[in-house]
Amino acid sequence: MDILVGLNPQQQQAVLAGLGPVLVLAGPGSGKTRVLTQRVAYLISTLGVHPYSILAVTFTNKAAREMESRVQHLLGEPQSRGLMMGTFHSICARILRREASQLPFNSNFVIYDTDDQLALVRQALEELNMDDKRNRPASIHAAISFAKNELHLPDDFPVQDYRSEIISRVYRRYQELLLTNNALDFDDLLLWTVHLFDQFPATKEKYARLFEHILVDEFQDTNQAQYTLVHQLSSFHRNLFVVGDIDQSIYRWRGADYRNVLRFESDFPDAQIILLEQNYRSTQAILDVAMAVIKPHPHRAPKRLFTSRGSGEIVNLVETTDDREEANFVVKTIAGMIQTKTAKPGDFAIMYRTNAQSRLVEEEFLQHGLRYRLVGAQRFYGRREIKDLLAYLRLVHNPADELSLIRALNTPPRGIGNKSFIQLKAFAQQVKLSPGEAILSIAKDTQSAVSSSFPQRSVTAIAHFGDLLTSWRAKVDELPPLQILDNLINDINYRSYIDDGSPEGEDRWENVMELRRLASEFQQPGLGAFLERIALVSDQDTLAESNDAPTLLTLHAAKGLEFPIVFIIGLNDGTLPHARSLDDMEAMHEERRLLYVGITRAKEKLYLVYSQMRSSFGYSEPAIRSRFIEDIPESLLQIKTTDDAQLGIGIHKPKDNWGFSSAKSSAPILHNRFSAGNRVRHSKWGEGLVLNSVLSDDDEVLDIFFESVGLKRVAASLAKLEILTDH
C-alpha cells in the first residue's frame, strides 16, 4: 500500500513530517481530512506506531467517524484497532471516568445538557435569594461557561465589581449543586481534566507517555482549556500534529481563540510549518475573490490559494432594491436554472448571517412551488419564539385550540401547574367547554363554585390569563394582526422572557421582529387570513428532507460544507458585518473571516447580494453596502442590478465607499449640510446626535446615534432629518 498515492507535494510533506511539533496551515478545500487520515495510516503502517499510542482529536463526532472509517479502509480494522479518536469532550469524559477516584465525583457521573444547566443556575439563584429577573440565568451561565473555558474554578474566579461578585457566588453554588447531583456540564469535562493533570502530575505523565502521537483538527477553533490540555498531553513525546487556519476561525462566541495558532508557534519554536494551498473545491475566480476579502485580516499567515480546476465564471455582485427583492431574485434565479436544466435543485445554497434572514427566502420558495431544506437551524416558523407567539395568536383566534393553550399557558411561566391544568380539563369536560373557553369562563366569575375547588393561587393565575385572553379577543375584529401581536408581546412582557442580553437572546428577538414585519403586511383587521398564510408556509415542514433541494443555512453552519452554486445574501453593513461587531475590532475581524468561509464553500458559481434598503424592527431604511465588498477589485466582479442579473447582463457600475446606487431622484448634494455635534430629529427614531458626515456619490452619508435605536448610518437625501441644534 502506497500512503502517498494521490497527494500533492505539500500534502506529502505533511504526511511524511518527522517527529516533533508540526503545524499544518490548511487553506479551505485543501484536503486536510485526507492529510490527517493518511498521517495516521503512515504512523501505523510505516513507522510501526501502535494504534493505542495515537490520539486524534476532532471537533465533531461526525468528523471522528469519517476519519476512523477512512483509516480502517486504508489499513483494515484489525491493524487500526485501539486508535483513540473523538472530540475533546468525549475523550475527556473517558479519562475522567477512569480517574474519578482522584476527583470529587464518582465514575458514573451524568452530563447535564443546556436545559439542565440553566435549571441549576435558577436553583442556585433561588437559594441565594437573588432575583432571576435582574440576574438572567442564561447570562449568568454564559459567564460561568467563559470562566471555565479560561480555567477558573470558583475559588479563583476574578471578582472585580458588583456583577462579578454576583456571578462568583452563583458559580460557587452552581458547582456545589453539580457535585451534589454527581453531574458535570460540558465545560467541566475540559476543566476537570486540566485540573486533574495539574493536581496529579503522575496521572498527567501517564497519559502523556501513553499518547506518543497527538493529532488535532480545526486547531484555530480551540479555546484556552483545550489548548492547555493539548499542551499537557504532548508534554512527554512532543509529537503534536495540529491542522488549522486562522482565516477560518469563526466561533469566537463559543470561546474559540484563533490566537492559539500563534501561541503554538511561540510555544514550539522548533515546529515544522507546512502550508496547504492547493484548493480542490473552487474555481480560481472564486478563490481570487476570497483572497481579496481575507487579505486585510491581521495576524494571518499569507497563503496563495490556487487550483487546477480552471478560472471559472466571474463572481456576480448583485444590487437589489430591498431585502424582499433580494429573496425574490435568489429564488427566481434558482428556478430559472432548474427549469433550463443548467443546474440541479441540490446544487444551490443560500447563506446568510442570521437565522431571521431565512424567512423571506422561505416564503419565496413557497410562492414558486419549490422545495428547500434548512441546515443548522429550525425553519423560521419552527423556532421556539415564533411558535410561542403563534400559539398565542391561534388561541386568540380560536380558544378551543388546546395545543396552543398548553404552549401559551406557562410561556412565560405564570404558576399554572400540571395539577391545576388537570383540574381545569376535568371542569371543562363537565360543562362541555374546551379548556380555553373554561378559562374565559373562570375569568368572568372567580367566585364561582368551580373556582373554589382550585387553590387560590391557581385561581388567580388562571383568571389573570383569562383576562388577558378576553382583552385580546375583544379587539380581534377591530385591529390588524400587527397591533394584536404587539399588544400580547407587551402584555406578557415577552422580550424580557427571551432576550437575556446574550447573542442568542438577541437573535431570538430578531426573529420576533421578523414576525412583526410579516404581520405588518396585513394592514386591515383579519387575524384568520394572517394565520392561514403562515399555516401554508408551515406545511413545508411536512415535506421529506432531501438532498435534492436548495439549501438554506447560516454562514456559521456552512463550515465544512460545499455547493456548486452559492448565494450569499444580506451583504450590508449592520447585517454582514453584523451590527454587534461595529464597535469591536476582534468581532469585526471574525465577520471578515465568516464571509471568507462562505465564499470558499462555492465550487463553480458565486453570487454576492446586497440591497439599497433593509427592514429593521418593522421599518425600511437605507442600507450601506458591506465594507468587505470594497476590498474586492472590480476586475474580479460582474456587477449587476437585479434585472440585469436575471437577464444575464453584466454592468460594471462605478463603485463608491458607501454602496448607494448612483441613480438619485433628488438633486445632488454638493456640500455638507450636517456636521458632527448637530442634534437632529427623525420621524420614527426621534432625536439623535450626528457623529460624522461624509459626501459620497452626490449624497451626504451620516453616522447618527439615536437615543431610541442606537447607531444608524443614513443618507441625508432619504432620511428627512430636522436639525435641532448646530452644536
Side-chain angles (χ1 to χ4, degrees):
M1 176 188 60
D2 190 346
I3 296 295
L4 303 181
V5 169
L7 299 181
N8 66 44
Q10 291 176 317
Q11 292 173 329
Q12 291 183 25
Q13 183 185 1
V15 169
L16 299 178
L19 302 180
V22 179
L23 170 61
V24 179
L25 299 174
S30 60
K32 66 181 180 61
T33 302
R34 187 174 189 183
V35 165
L36 283 164
T37 303
Q38 306 289 85
R39 172 72 174 178
V40 171
Y42 170 73
L43 292 174
I44 296 172
S45 66
T46 304
L47 298 189
V49 178
H50 293 293
Y52 58 76
S53 296
I54 299 174
L55 172 64
V57 186
T58 65
F59 266 78
T60 66
N61 291 315
K62 179 182 177 182
R65 289 193 297 269
E66 182 180 351
M67 281 186 59
E68 186 173 24
S69 175
R70 290 192 188 189
V71 171
Q72 289 180 358
H73 178 74
L74 286 170
L75 302 179
E77 195 277 332
Q79 197 172 354
S80 61
R81 189 179 300 147
L83 178 66
M84 184 175 278
M85 185 176 292
T87 65
F88 275 103
H89 293 91
S90 65
I91 290 166
C92 286
R94 237 179 292 182
I95 292 173
L96 291 176
R97 294 195 192 280
R98 291 176 182 173
E99 308 298 336
S101 61
Q102 303 177 77
L103 295 164
F105 46 80
N106 297 326
S107 61
N108 64 336
F109 62 81
V110 295
I111 301 171
Y112 275 178
D113 64 17
T114 302
D115 289 340
D116 298 325
Q117 295 163 32
L118 288 174
L120 221 57
V121 170
R122 292 189 186 96
Q123 183 179 341
L125 286 166
E126 183 178 354
E127 292 181 6
L128 294 169
N129 295 315
M130 294 180 180
D131 185 358
D132 64 0
K133 299 293 188 295
R134 299 181 61 184
N135 303 288
R136 302 290 180 81
S139 181
I140 295 286
H141 179 262
I144 292 173
S145 177
F146 180 81
K148 289 185 176 184
N149 287 333
E150 292 294 309
L151 300 175
H152 292 302
L153 285 164
D155 287 341
D156 58 10
F157 181 84
V159 176
Q160 301 168 332
D161 50 28
Y162 176 72
R163 174 164 173 75
S164 59
E165 168 66 25
I166 294 293
I167 294 169
S168 176
R169 292 172 61 194
V170 177
Y171 182 11
R172 183 177 300 280
R173 183 58 187 147
Y174 169 79
Q175 207 65 7
E176 290 169 354
L177 290 169
L178 279 170
L179 295 178
T180 298
N181 289 279
N182 194 36
L184 276 66
D185 64 21
F186 296 124
D187 300 313
D188 278 333
L189 296 172
L190 304 173
L191 176 66
W192 280 117
T193 306
V194 172
H195 176 74
L196 170 72
F197 292 158
D198 276 344
Q199 296 298 310
F200 301 96
T203 303
K204 182 191 79 169
E205 185 174 351
K206 177 177 73 173
Y207 286 95
R209 284 177 176 270
L210 171 63
F211 297 125
E212 186 178 343
H213 289 268
I214 299 172
L215 301 91
V216 184
D217 192 11
E218 304 287 5
F219 193 68
Q220 77 281 348
D221 290 329
T222 54
N223 59 31
Q224 182 61 46
Q226 290 161 337
Y227 183 84
T228 302
L229 182 63
V230 167
H231 213 283
Q232 290 172 326
L233 289 172
S234 62
S235 59
F236 187 82
H237 296 288
R238 296 185 78 252
N239 295 325
L240 182 57
F241 186 97
V242 303
V243 180
D245 182 11
I246 287 176
D247 297 345
Q248 298 180 75
S249 179
I250 59 173
Y251 299 117
R252 178 171 174 253
W253 49 280
R254 292 182 186 169
D257 190 348
Y258 72 86
R259 290 172 297 184
N260 284 343
V261 176
L262 306 178
R263 293 188 183 106
F264 182 93
E265 296 182 61
S266 175
D267 291 343
F268 298 95
D270 59 330
Q272 301 177 63
I273 299 178
I274 301 168
L275 296 178
L276 298 185
E277 298 172 297
Q278 183 170 351
N279 181 285
Y280 291 91
R281 176 187 302 146
S282 307
T283 64
Q284 194 64 50
I286 293 171
L287 296 179
D288 289 344
V289 168
M291 287 187 287
V293 166
I294 201 64
K295 184 178 179 180
H297 189 287
H299 311 307
R300 61 184 297 267
K303 292 188 294 296
R304 185 185 66 85
L305 301 180
F306 65 94
T307 182
S308 60
R309 299 195 63 222
S311 58
E313 292 188 29
I314 192 168
V315 171
N316 298 282
L317 176 64
V318 182
E319 178 189 81
T320 66
T321 302
D322 56 26
D323 38 4
R324 180 168 288 283
E325 185 185 58
E326 179 179 76
N328 180 266
F329 156 71
V330 170
V331 177
K332 270 190 174 180
T333 303
I334 290 173
M337 291 189 190
I338 293 173
Q339 187 175 12
T340 59
K341 297 185 178 180
T342 55
K344 300 188 296 295
D347 290 344
F348 300 95
I350 304 98
M351 301 178 185
Y352 36 80
R353 176 62 178 82
T354 63
N355 283 319
Q357 291 172 259
S358 74
R359 200 269 298 174
L360 288 175
V361 182
E362 290 185 74
E363 284 202 344
E364 287 294 333
F365 273 111
L366 178 64
Q367 292 291 328
H368 285 77
L370 292 175
R371 294 187 305 154
Y372 64 92
R373 65 184 185 120
L374 199 64
V375 173
Q378 291 179 303
R379 280 181 167 82
F380 178 80
Y381 296 108
R383 292 164 189 154
R384 188 195 91 187
E385 54 275 12
I386 303 304
K387 290 177 74 68
D388 288 347
L389 294 176
L390 291 180
Y392 274 98
L393 292 175
R394 286 196 296 264
L395 196 60
V396 171
H397 181 63
N398 176 21
D401 185 345
E402 186 173 327
L403 288 178
S404 293
L405 173 64
I406 292 171
R407 186 176 189 97
L409 203 55
N410 278 304
T411 306
R414 50 176 53 91
I416 305 174
N418 289 336
K419 184 177 179 180
S420 296
F421 188 74
I422 291 171
Q423 291 176 314
L424 175 67
K425 285 193 68 174
F427 163 67
Q429 289 172 351
Q430 289 175 12
V431 296
K432 298 182 179 180
L433 294 174
S434 70
E437 292 165 335
I439 286 177
L440 292 173
S441 175
I442 292 172
K444 289 179 181 178
D445 183 8
T446 58
Q447 303 303 315
S448 66
V450 67
S451 297
S452 63
S453 68
F454 287 83
Q456 185 57 44
R457 180 179 176 185
S458 296
V459 172
T460 302
I462 290 172
H464 177 64
F465 184 80
D467 288 338
L468 288 173
L469 185 56
T470 299
S471 68
W472 298 328
R473 283 183 53 75
K475 301 290 183 67
V476 72
D477 294 325
E478 303 173 15
L479 300 176
L482 176 60
Q483 189 60 57
I484 298 172
L485 178 60
D486 281 346
N487 287 346
L488 71 86
I489 287 173
N490 291 331
D491 288 345
I492 66 176
N493 201 15
Y494 191 68
R495 181 168 189 174
S496 295
Y497 176 60
I498 64 164
D499 186 0
D500 55 16
S502 67
E504 293 80 8
E506 292 178 15
D507 284 344
R508 288 193 290 269
W509 184 245
E510 284 183 14
N511 288 333
V512 172
M513 291 298 97
E514 190 70 4
L515 182 63
R516 286 189 73 256
R517 191 176 84 158
L518 177 61
S520 71
E521 296 176 10
F522 288 77
Q523 299 298 325
Q524 302 298 320
L527 183 58
F530 173 64
L531 291 172
E532 180 178 314
R533 175 171 173 179
I534 288 177
L536 290 174
V537 175
S538 298
D539 284 344
Q540 290 292 90
D541 293 340
T542 64
L543 292 172
E545 293 290 345
S546 170
N547 290 331
D548 191 26
T551 301
L552 282 67
L553 70 170
T554 65
L555 286 160
H556 282 104
K559 185 76 173 291
L561 303 177
E562 59 182 37
F563 303 89
I565 304 169
V566 169
F567 296 81
I568 302 179
I569 64 173
L571 284 173
N572 292 93
D573 271 13
T575 306
L576 182 64
H578 196 280
R580 288 195 296 261
S581 69
L582 297 180
D583 58 353
D584 183 338
M585 189 58 68
E586 282 297 332
M588 184 65 74
H589 293 331
E590 178 153 297
E591 296 290 299
R592 181 182 294 278
R593 298 194 296 268
L594 192 57
L595 177 56
Y596 173 78
V597 166
I599 290 171
T600 55
R601 302 307 95 190
K603 298 170 67 175
E604 298 165 8
K605 190 186 291 280
L606 174 65
Y607 292 84
L608 305 176
V609 191
Y610 68 96
S611 59
Q612 297 175 350
M613 306 284 290
R614 298 203 79 82
S615 295
S616 177
F617 300 101
Y619 302 111
S620 186
E621 61 185 25
I624 309 300
R625 186 169 65 189
S626 174
R627 63 194 67 192
F628 300 145
I629 292 175
E630 309 309 323
D631 296 318
I632 307 172
E634 277 193 19
S635 60
L636 301 180
L637 298 171
Q638 186 87 320
I639 305 174
K640 306 175 179 180
T641 64
T642 309
D643 290 338
D644 299 328
Q646 289 170 345
L647 292 171
I649 302 170
I651 300 178
H652 287 271
K653 297 190 294 184
K655 287 210 306 185
D656 54 68
N657 292 326
W658 302 100
F660 291 111
S661 170
S662 58
K664 294 277 189 275
S665 58
S666 57
I669 296 175
L670 302 179
H671 63 278
N672 293 73
R673 181 182 167 211
F674 300 86
S675 61
N678 286 156
R679 290 202 62 81
V680 297
R681 180 184 289 118
H682 184 272
S683 60
K684 291 189 176 70
W685 302 325
E687 293 189 14
L689 178 68
V690 176
L691 304 180
N692 189 39
S693 170
V694 176
L695 291 178
S696 176
D697 195 19
D698 294 334
D699 206 341
E700 185 176 4
V701 180
L702 308 171
D703 289 324
I704 306 175
F705 184 84
F706 290 98
E707 296 168 4
S708 61
V709 294
L711 184 64
K712 293 287 183 181
R713 179 170 288 175
V714 301
S717 66
L718 300 173
K720 297 180 181 179
L721 297 166
E722 175 190 354
I723 298 178
L724 301 178
T725 61
D726 289 337
H727 290 289

